[in-house]
Amino acid sequence: MNLLNQIRQISEELTPTDKKIADAVIANPDDFARLDTAGISSEFGFSQPALTRFAKKLGYSGYAEFKYDIARNKNALSGSESVTTYAGETAQLLIKTESMFPSEKLEEIVTVLDRARRIFVTGYHRSRACAELMNSALINYRYPSQAIPYDEVFKLDAFCRPGDLLIVFSVSSSIYATLAKTLYESDQKPEMMLVTCAKKNEMAKYFDHVIVLPDRKAVQSSYALDPAITNLFFINMLSMHMHTQK
């Protein structure tokens, strides 16, 4: 069921404020797809709690998920025909990623980073670029971070210690499985975080923290969207969050 039909289905249950929000969403889908609750509140005069309550009445977990669905359905809301483009589906994927990582979720990740004595970041092939960007962001915010090339990861089991943090970027494969298992079973085990697009990555059982990012299937894309898109966007979101906290 699309968003417009959802709104119509519960129209009789809506309060006067809810109806005004619904009308505003239908009339201004681009604004609601672009702005957060603070922006909508400033632009249209609705309180942030009212926006969240409205989203939950429609069955969403919160406003971020509702915002993502508006972006996905805004052509239907405005009555225009849906035009599928590579840029449009990439935008949907990024909006989906943003909706999955509200500030509280990002803060949980920062808490893990903050307690690390040393941080090692690694990735293979396309994921290597993601690992290097993550390492640069961490160094920029004065974290004791080091990027480890894939052909040197075998050294990690020799000098990783409790209190260290190992971050592995693995888009879908389990190429680090041997290392992860070795560290998991070591009496000198570091804390470990996996960033992946695979919901059933066989390495996940060895990691303390598993961050699953959406891929093209999450937005039913007809294009071969590179999973690295969400990895890089996630790193930028985390970097912006660290910037606001420092």
Side-chain angles (χ1 to χ4, degrees):
M1 182 186 299
N2 66 37
L3 182 55
L4 184 58
N5 287 337
Q6 283 179 271
I7 292 173
R8 287 170 175 161
Q9 192 173 64
I10 67 162
S11 60
E12 294 183 1
E13 304 170 23
L14 298 179
T15 66
T17 298
D18 290 334
K19 289 179 180 178
K20 289 179 181 178
I21 294 173
D23 290 342
V25 169
I26 293 168
N28 306 277
D30 288 332
D31 290 327
F32 278 81
R34 177 175 54 87
L35 299 171
D36 59 12
T37 53
I40 293 296
S41 181
S42 174
E43 186 75 19
F44 294 94
F46 304 119
S47 72
Q48 294 183 53
L51 292 166
T52 300
R53 285 195 298 270
F54 178 74
K56 289 184 175 180
K57 282 184 181 180
L58 289 172
Y60 298 97
S61 60
Y63 189 81
E65 186 183 7
F66 175 54
K67 175 183 171 183
Y68 162 70
D69 218 22
I70 293 173
R72 218 161 48 95
N73 288 276
K74 64 182 182 179
N75 288 318
L77 287 167
S78 63
S80 62
E81 291 187 12
S82 175
V83 179
T84 301
T85 65
Y86 178 78
E89 293 192 357
T90 299
Q92 287 183 26
L93 185 58
L94 299 185
I95 292 169
K96 174 68 173 176
T97 306
E98 184 180 35
S99 73
M100 292 172 61
F101 293 92
S103 59
E104 313 87 72
K105 186 69 175 178
L106 295 173
E107 187 58 31
E108 289 176 10
I109 298 169
V110 170
T111 299
V112 176
L113 298 173
D114 285 344
R115 65 171 173 254
R117 183 172 62 92
R118 298 179 299 178
I119 301 174
F120 302 102
V121 193
T122 187
Y124 176 70
H125 194 37
R126 288 174 299 173
S127 295
R128 180 172 180 173
C130 302
E132 290 178 350
L133 179 61
M134 179 70 160
N135 182 60
S136 296
L138 292 172
I139 290 173
N140 186 51
Y141 292 105
R142 302 187 183 280
Y143 285 96
S145 182
Q146 180 180 349
I148 307 295
Y150 171 72
D151 56 4
E152 294 183 16
V153 295
F154 67 91
K155 300 177 182 178
L156 286 171
D157 66 332
F159 60 82
C160 270
R161 297 289 181 269
D164 293 340
L165 173 65
L166 172 63
I167 303 175
V168 174
F169 281 84
S170 177
V171 170
S172 60
S173 69
S174 298
I175 200 161
Y176 285 94
T178 300
L179 172 67
K181 185 175 185 295
T182 300
L183 291 174
Y184 177 78
E185 295 173 346
S186 170
D187 57 2
Q188 297 295 314
K189 176 186 173 297
E191 196 164 4
M192 297 195 291
M193 178 183 292
L194 174 65
V195 183
T196 181
C197 289
K199 291 182 179 180
K200 295 183 179 180
N201 194 309
E202 67 184 57
M203 292 192 297
K205 60 188 175 184
Y206 300 124
F207 285 80
D208 304 286
H209 313 282
V210 180
I211 297 170
V212 180
L213 301 174
D215 60 11
R216 60 183 292 271
K217 296 176 184 176
V219 294
Q220 299 179 333
S221 174
S222 55
Y223 294 92
L225 301 179
D226 193 320
I229 291 172
T230 48
N231 279 264
L232 297 173
F233 184 67
F234 164 74
I235 294 166
N236 275 281
M237 284 198 304
L238 186 61
S239 182
M240 286 190 293
H241 183 80
M242 290 189 289
H243 179 73
T244 64
Q245 303 302 310
K246 295 293 183 180

